[in-house]
Amino acid sequence: GGGCSGGPVTSNQIVIKAAGYDYGNFYVTPTAATSACYEAKSSAVWDPAAFENVFISGTTLTKIQGGNAWDGGAASFNKVSNNGYLQFTATETNTYRMIGLSNTNPDGSYLTIQYAIYLLNNGNVNVYESGTNRGNFGTYATNDIFKVSVENGVVKYYQNGNLFYISAVAPTLPLLADVSIYTPGGTVTNLIVSNPVTDTFTATASNVGGSPTYQWKLNGANVGANSPTYVNASLPDGAVVTCEITPGHPNCSSTVYTAINSVTVSSLPAPANVDFYITASNSPSACNTGTEQVVWQIGSLNNVERSGNNLTKIQSGGWDGGAASFNTVKDNGYMEFTATEVDRARMVGLSTTNTDNNYTSIQYAVYVRNDANYFVYESGVNRGNFGTYVAGDKFRIAVDNGLVKYYRNGTLFYISTIAPTLPLLVDVSIRDVGGTVTNAVVSNLITSTFTATATNVGSNPVYQWKLNGANVGSNSTTYVNASLANNDVVTCEITPDLGSCSATIYTSNSVTVNSIPAPTNVDFYIQSSASASACKTGTEQVSWRYASLGNNMVRNGNNLTKFQGGNAWDGGAASFNTVSNNGFMQFTATETTTNRMIGLSTTNADANYTTIQYAVYLINGGNVQIYESGNFRGTFGTYSTSDIFKITVESNVVKYYRNGVLFYISTVTPTLPLLVDVSFNTVGSTINNVLVSNIITDTFTATATNLGSSPTYQWKLNGA
């Protein structure tokens, strides 16, 4: 224009450099798997849009302004899935902040953090869930590591690896890291998000143009293709995965950005949601037992933590510390556990199903109380106090030919009157925090087959059976061995069929095989063939019919004891052996302080004395009477300890003897043969050395039950 001919005018300058990258817009996430052999850890990738009064520097998030208020907020892009966790380090102990997990991030307040660890400025630790205080859980120090995990759909809280609270609120997954800081200067340090992974990683980037270029890195070396995903099913332990990106904008061909986070992959000791256990195939009658370490169902655990075949209640007072086993007790099997402490209340027992966590649903329970007393409870009903226990005592609940029996250190102390519906699982309810169940085992009669059961291990896992630590069997869910020896130990190893699991091996519980002197449900006895007239007698030790003993009697050879039932005529038993014409039954009187009747009957109608056709009545105090079918025949003096009583059939007439002296002849003609028939009134009553003798010829017969189709017999004469 006019007057401008003096020369050119120079503008400001623009310097061209590689552009920096907006924080948080390029990051890597692994694809979470519910079950896997590896976990993928990544530093938190914070969403800049969620920042409120905070600043990120390296791996530390700091509240920089806003005053003392719950307005220092942040949330992550990366998320925790099932069986994953969030972890962070406590740096200072003098500020207020809450760090946890939420399904969404509505605001910067602690009230919207669904699962939060609250670090107070006085060194205390609390848990808050959606603004609700769940309690104080002790103190913390600088460098303590806190973790909030999701384990099989349950949120759990840890401090330095120690579980201190289990949430009762089911999460809606996945969950992002959610932070609210109250105090200016408050920090969140080294926050990590970890999830189980198989083989897939995804790069997320914004504002990089329509066709960016991706370069994946494994331990710093180029891998993969130009793709937002990277797949590797053979990752080594400790592998570090990251990604570089070249934006698809003009003039960006030589510009490379590295994702702000890396993902470190490491092997897991065991996938969190894998249940892997072995059981031995049961037989109602066998010569070996298989004793299995109990495996607790993950889904049954409530307020308790499992460690092998042990349990510990970690929180919440009340009968809500529940668990149940995969293993089950069959007929002639048992469950056993060790009482470790004497100052915690818990019930351990057997049930057909695991209805809930309360003791009232345990059908057969030993109640070890916090005052060192022990009781029996059945479906919530108190069956009585049975004394005291000490640390290290072993309790057993057995099913013996359809009867549930309770033992302490091998001594029977109660027989249930409730018939079980088999099989029965181990069912637990712990009241007191710190209460434990230790070394729980299940034992059953077994034959030769073992079965492995596993969940969440993929479609084609690899099985390796072990016998005493050595490889046996084939790649199969079953192992068969009909030549097991006493104390053999069977286990199984499994390699899951999941990504990156080829070198991962998990070991099952063990099954220890033991031989037994005789199956508990075998009745085995011999009899001589009776003859009305012969030159020899055969005197047999009486064999008591197991089914006749009921709930109140215990047999030991040819002896009997009334074990329980109160002072009533309900202690019954009957023999396999029978008395024929010109034979007899004989027994020894042990005590003079109980009431019991012992005699002969054609059949064993019930446990009451009124059905014994020919009975000697030994009375508390030392008197002797005769009762026949409940009819009093008279008093016949007194008796002493070790007196021998005999009831004979002589030419079809029943006669009664004491120490070889006849004292009564019956007027009732017997219907032969006659079995030995017993009714005890007093708890503690006994009958000893019961014998049956008949005139015999030359034939002896062995009778046995539950010995299989072709047992082997070996007769003995004078031991040879």
Side-chain angles (χ1 to χ4, degrees):
C4 290
S5 59
V9 177
T10 302
S11 73
N12 61 314
Q13 66 179 5
I14 297 176
V15 178
I16 307 298
K17 295 182 178 179
Y21 204 63
D22 287 342
Y23 174 81
N25 288 344
F26 179 39
Y27 58 93
V28 173
T29 54
T31 300
T34 302
S35 183
C37 298
Y38 281 82
E39 64 175 336
K41 299 179 182 178
S42 170
S43 297
V45 180
W46 299 106
D47 180 359
F51 283 174
E52 294 184 31
N53 299 316
V54 296
F55 176 75
I56 183 71
S57 176
T59 59
T60 300
L61 188 73
T62 306
K63 182 175 180 180
I64 59 172
Q65 64 187 32
N68 290 325
W70 291 106
D71 59 359
S76 68
F77 280 119
N78 32 5
K79 296 181 179 181
V80 171
S81 297
N82 197 20
N83 299 312
Y85 63 85
L86 165 154
Q87 178 179 292
F88 67 93
T89 302
T91 304
E92 74 281 353
T93 60
N94 59 354
T95 64
Y96 294 105
R97 64 267 197 216
M98 294 200 195
I99 306 98
L101 296 171
S102 299
N103 181 248
T104 58
N105 177 46
D107 54 45
S109 172
Y110 76 90
L111 296 171
T112 57
I113 305 179
Q114 292 172 310
Y115 307 94
I117 291 174
Y118 180 16
L119 302 183
L120 283 73
N121 71 345
N122 60 0
N124 283 309
V125 180
N126 285 35
V127 168
Y128 269 66
E129 294 186 336
S130 299
T132 301
N133 184 7
R134 302 302 188 194
N136 175 271
F137 297 93
T139 60
Y140 71 100
T142 298
N143 295 323
D144 278 0
I145 296 175
F146 289 90
K147 180 165 70 174
V148 185
S149 69
V150 182
E151 301 176 20
N152 294 289
V154 177
V155 176
K156 299 183 179 182
Y157 300 77
Y158 295 82
Q159 181 181 7
N160 297 325
N162 297 313
L163 178 66
F164 66 88
Y165 183 69
I166 302 174
S167 178
V169 180
T172 301
L173 301 173
L175 301 170
L176 48 79
D178 197 0
V179 171
S180 183
I181 306 175
Y182 178 90
T183 311
T187 67
V188 177
T189 305
N190 295 330
L191 194 145
I192 292 171
V193 170
S194 179
N195 287 296
V197 297
T198 51
D199 53 12
T200 303
F201 301 81
T202 301
T204 301
S206 59
N207 303 316
V208 290
S211 299
T213 301
Y214 297 89
Q215 178 58 66
W216 289 92
K217 301 275 187 175
L218 177 62
N219 297 326
N222 290 348
V223 290
N226 176 18
S227 170
T229 60
Y230 168 59
V231 179
N232 187 336
S234 302
L235 289 168
D237 192 18
V240 178
V241 176
T242 189
C243 188
E244 294 178 347
I245 193 169
T246 301
H249 298 303
N251 302 315
C252 284
S253 61
S254 61
T255 303
V256 177
Y257 301 106
T258 301
I260 65 165
N261 69 318
S262 61
V263 177
T264 301
V265 177
S266 55
S267 61
L268 288 166
N273 68 332
V274 165
D275 281 311
F276 175 44
Y277 60 96
I278 63 172
T279 56
S281 296
N282 168 250
S283 170
S285 181
C287 297
N288 286 333
T289 61
T291 302
E292 309 165 8
Q293 293 172 312
V294 161
V295 179
W296 305 106
Q297 299 180 31
I298 291 176
S300 74
L301 304 179
N302 191 71
N303 295 320
V304 299
E305 188 74 353
R306 67 176 184 175
S307 176
N309 58 338
N310 306 318
L311 289 174
T312 303
K313 185 174 184 184
I314 65 160
Q315 66 184 33
S316 179
W319 290 106
D320 57 359
S325 69
F326 284 106
N327 324 65
T328 58
V329 172
K330 285 83 171 178
D331 199 17
N332 299 308
Y334 65 83
M335 177 277 298
E336 184 176 89
F337 71 96
T338 301
T340 305
E341 69 284 347
V342 297
D343 58 351
R344 300 288 190 274
R346 63 268 194 215
M347 294 202 195
V348 187
L350 297 172
S351 298
T352 305
T353 58
N354 177 41
T355 307
D356 55 42
N357 302 306
N358 197 274
Y359 74 89
T360 58
S361 61
I362 305 178
Q363 292 172 302
Y364 307 94
V366 172
Y367 177 17
V368 280
R369 220 163 64 172
N370 61 346
D371 60 359
N373 284 286
Y374 66 97
F375 295 70
V376 168
Y377 271 66
E378 295 185 333
S379 300
V381 177
N382 183 4
R383 302 303 188 192
N385 181 319
F386 296 92
T388 59
Y389 70 100
V390 298
D393 279 358
K394 291 185 177 181
F395 289 92
R396 177 182 294 185
I397 304 177
V399 182
D400 191 354
N401 289 290
L403 292 177
V404 176
K405 299 182 178 181
Y406 298 76
Y407 298 81
R408 173 176 162 262
N409 297 328
T411 301
L412 178 68
F413 65 87
Y414 183 70
I415 303 174
S416 178
T417 61
I418 307 297
T421 300
L422 301 173
L424 300 170
L425 50 78
V426 184
D427 197 359
V428 172
S429 182
I430 305 176
R431 189 191 72 177
D432 298 336
V433 174
T436 66
V437 177
T438 304
N439 195 28
V441 297
V442 160
S443 185
N444 289 296
L445 297 175
I446 65 167
T447 51
S448 57
T449 303
F450 300 81
T451 303
T453 302
T455 59
N456 300 312
V457 290
S459 56
N460 293 296
V462 176
Y463 297 89
Q464 178 59 67
W465 289 91
K466 301 272 187 175
L467 178 62
N468 301 322
N471 290 348
V472 290
S474 59
N475 177 19
S476 171
T477 57
T478 58
Y479 167 61
V480 179
N481 187 335
S483 303
L484 292 167
N486 196 36
N487 294 316
D488 276 348
V489 178
V490 177
T491 58
C492 187
E493 294 179 344
I494 193 170
T495 301
D497 181 27
L498 302 169
S500 304
C501 282
S502 59
T504 303
I505 296 174
Y506 304 109
T507 303
S508 72
N509 60 316
S510 65
V511 178
T512 302
V513 178
N514 292 111
S515 61
I516 55 177
T520 58
N521 68 334
V522 166
D523 281 311
F524 177 44
Y525 58 97
I526 62 172
Q527 290 177 293
S528 50
S529 296
S531 172
S533 178
C535 296
K536 293 184 177 67
T537 62
T539 302
E540 308 165 9
Q541 294 172 314
V542 160
S543 295
W544 302 107
R545 297 173 183 263
Y546 190 89
S548 74
L549 299 177
N551 304 307
N552 299 325
M553 301 291 283
V554 176
R555 65 180 180 177
N556 181 16
N558 59 338
N559 307 320
L560 285 175
T561 302
K562 184 174 182 183
F563 177 72
Q564 64 186 27
N567 294 326
W569 292 104
D570 57 359
S575 69
F576 285 105
N577 323 66
T578 58
V579 173
S580 297
N581 196 20
N582 297 315
F584 65 84
M585 178 274 296
Q586 177 181 295
F587 68 93
T588 302
T590 308
E591 74 281 350
T592 60
T593 56
T594 64
N595 296 319
R596 66 266 197 216
M597 294 198 194
I598 308 98
L600 297 172
S601 299
T602 305
T603 60
N604 176 42
D606 55 42
N608 196 272
Y609 75 91
T610 58
T611 59
I612 305 179
Q613 292 171 306
Y614 307 94
V616 173
Y617 180 15
L618 301 184
I619 302 174
N620 175 11
N623 286 317
V624 179
Q625 295 178 347
I626 298 295
Y627 272 71
E628 295 186 335
S629 299
N631 296 308
F632 174 62
R633 301 305 190 196
T635 301
F636 299 92
T638 61
Y639 71 100
S640 302
T641 299
S642 300
D643 279 359
I644 296 175
F645 289 87
K646 184 188 294 186
I647 304 176
T648 68
V649 182
E650 301 176 20
S651 298
N652 288 315
V653 177
V654 175
K655 299 182 180 181
Y656 298 78
Y657 294 81
R658 180 180 63 227
N659 298 324
V661 177
L662 177 67
F663 65 89
Y664 183 71
I665 301 174
S666 177
T667 61
V668 179
T669 302
T671 301
L672 300 174
L674 301 171
L675 50 79
V676 183
D677 197 1
V678 170
S679 182
F680 287 2
N681 176 277
T682 311
V683 174
S685 298
T686 67
I687 179 174
N688 283 358
N689 196 27
V690 185
L691 305 171
V692 161
S693 183
N694 290 294
I695 296 174
I696 64 168
T697 52
D698 54 5
T699 303
F700 299 84
T701 302
T703 302
T705 60
N706 299 315
L707 289 180
S709 58
S710 300
T712 300
Y713 297 90
Q714 178 59 65
W715 289 91
K716 301 275 187 176
L717 179 61
N718 299 324

